[in-house]
């Protein structure tokens, strides 16, 4: 009887352990999905697949992609970077995390990634990630999760792979391989208006892409050729030159991605126009249709 009782107890313990493991794994899987908030997904990306993000996630994704191209990294590197940021932060610029981890890639100051202030700068964080990835021998031929793991050294090395498909969709759109692929709806009062908005856009394009008269911009045949001015002398937007159609869509999609935080009202390129009110791209029958100029309009001063 004692032997039988022990066997029953042992079997019960095993069942409890299995149940606990199942619960933990379930929570982890649900937790991973919940890291991308279901509410407020105001941006839709369609490029041989569909991805939905909120405005802040979209802006961060656009900056990560732009920094990769500015560094001369191949498309595959952008996919790896986006998948990493997806997993580590849900494409959010977090103020904290595990131990002293911060930012989009959850980089740690104690591990030599930089100061907390530096790492909270999405451009700095993305640049450091690409620099580390470039040093990994043979990363181009690795699976996304393996390349990311070589940089991040995560306790969950397979976790990045589940974001590979979404990251490829984002990369195709943000690198200009699809037209009118990034659509964001911007509601409420604009974060910026007039001169402040135009100045912020100019600064953002310069920092992300190296435009506004920079050598990097000229090398790619791109530049911010000037701001649009209304009859009262107030700034209403800007115009960006592009070397070709693909480059034009890169800048157009970047502008839409940053519309929420830079007060962008309208973007026009390649005979199509996006507006904050409609949140979608539509064909235009008049106005700017140039194949080498992206025109952005900001909300006017009140």
């Amino acid at each position: 009887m004692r032997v039988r009782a022990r066997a029953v107890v042992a079997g019960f313990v095993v069942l409890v352990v299995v149940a606990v493991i199942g619960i933990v794994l379930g929570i982890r899987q649900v937790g991973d999905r919940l890291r991308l908030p279901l509410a407020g997904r105001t941006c839709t990306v369609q490029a041989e697949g569909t991805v939905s993000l909120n405005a802040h996630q979209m802006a961060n994704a656009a900056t990560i992609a732009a920094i990769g191209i500015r560094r001369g990294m191949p498309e595959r590197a952008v996919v790896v970077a986006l998948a990493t940021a997806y997993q580590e932060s849900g494409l959010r610029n977090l103020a904290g995390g595990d131990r002293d981890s911060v930012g989009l890639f959850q980089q740690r100051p104690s591990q030599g990634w930089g100061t907390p202030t530096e790492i909270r700068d999405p451009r700095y964080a993305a640049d450091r990630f690409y620099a580390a990835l470039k040093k990994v021998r043979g990363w181009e031929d690795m699976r996304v999760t393996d390349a990311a793991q070589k940089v991040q050294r995560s306790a969950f090395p397979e976790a990045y792979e589940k974001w590979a498909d979404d990251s490829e969709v984002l990369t195709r759109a943000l690198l200009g391989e699809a037209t009118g692929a990034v659509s964001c709806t911007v509601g409420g009062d604009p974060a910026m208006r007039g001169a402040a908005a135009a100045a912020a856009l100019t600064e953002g394009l310069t920092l992300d892409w190296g435009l506004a008269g920079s050598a990097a911009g000229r090398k790619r045949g791109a530049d911010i050729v000037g701001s649009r001015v209304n009859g009262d002398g107030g700034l209403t937007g800007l115009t960006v030159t592009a070397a070709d159609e693909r480059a034009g869509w890169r800048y157009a999609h970047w502008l839409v991605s940053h519309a929420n935080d830079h007060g962008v009202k309208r973007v026009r390129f390649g005979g199509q126009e996006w507006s904050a009110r409609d949140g979608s791209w539509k064909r235009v029958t008049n106005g700017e249709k140039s194949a080498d100029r992206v025109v952005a309009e900001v909300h006017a001063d009140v």
Side-chain angles (χ1 to χ4, degrees), residues 35-220:
R35 296 180 79 173
L36 297 183
L38 297 176
R41 292 190 176 187
T42 56
C43 295
T44 300
V45 181
Q46 293 182 317
E48 298 180 30
T50 302
V51 172
S52 296
L53 300 173
N54 68 33
H56 298 298
Q57 293 167 324
M58 193 69 243
N60 288 330
T63 288
I64 290 171
I67 296 300
I69 296 304
R70 184 178 181 182
R71 283 187 59 94
M73 299 294 285
E75 181 175 320
R76 181 71 170 176
V78 177
V79 175
V80 174
L82 287 171
T84 302
Y86 250 126
Q87 172 60 27
E88 295 292 350
S89 68
L91 288 171
R92 293 170 292 170
N93 193 13
L94 300 179
D98 179 44
R99 287 171 283 189
D100 60 337
S101 301
V102 296
L104 286 168
F105 297 90
Q106 288 293 278
Q107 294 155 330
R108 299 179 60 191
S110 63
Q111 299 297 318
W113 287 98
T115 67
T117 300
E118 288 174 330
I119 297 172
R120 284 296 306 283
D121 178 350
R123 298 177 180 98
Y124 174 92
D127 190 70
R128 288 299 307 271
F129 178 85
Y130 285 120
L133 179 64
K134 193 173 183 178
K135 294 178 181 179
V136 176
R137 181 175 297 180
W139 70 266
E140 300 94 335
D141 300 320
M142 296 179 184
R143 291 187 305 155
V144 167
T145 198
D146 294 332
Q149 174 63 6
K150 288 290 185 179
V151 176
Q152 300 296 108
R153 301 185 184 280
S154 168
F156 306 100
E158 291 292 324
Y160 306 102
E161 192 66 25
K162 64 177 171 289
W163 304 112
D165 291 344
D166 285 357
S167 296
E168 288 177 358
V169 172
L170 286 174
T171 298
R172 282 192 290 269
L174 294 171
L175 269 56
E177 295 180 11
T179 63
V182 178
S183 299
C184 297
T185 301
V186 182
D189 190 47
M192 294 183 179
R193 290 179 177 272
L201 277 178
T202 300
E203 180 181 21
L205 284 163
T206 300
L207 293 173
D208 278 15
W209 292 102
L211 305 186
S214 70
R218 288 192 295 272
K219 184 177 180 180
R220 288 193 295 273

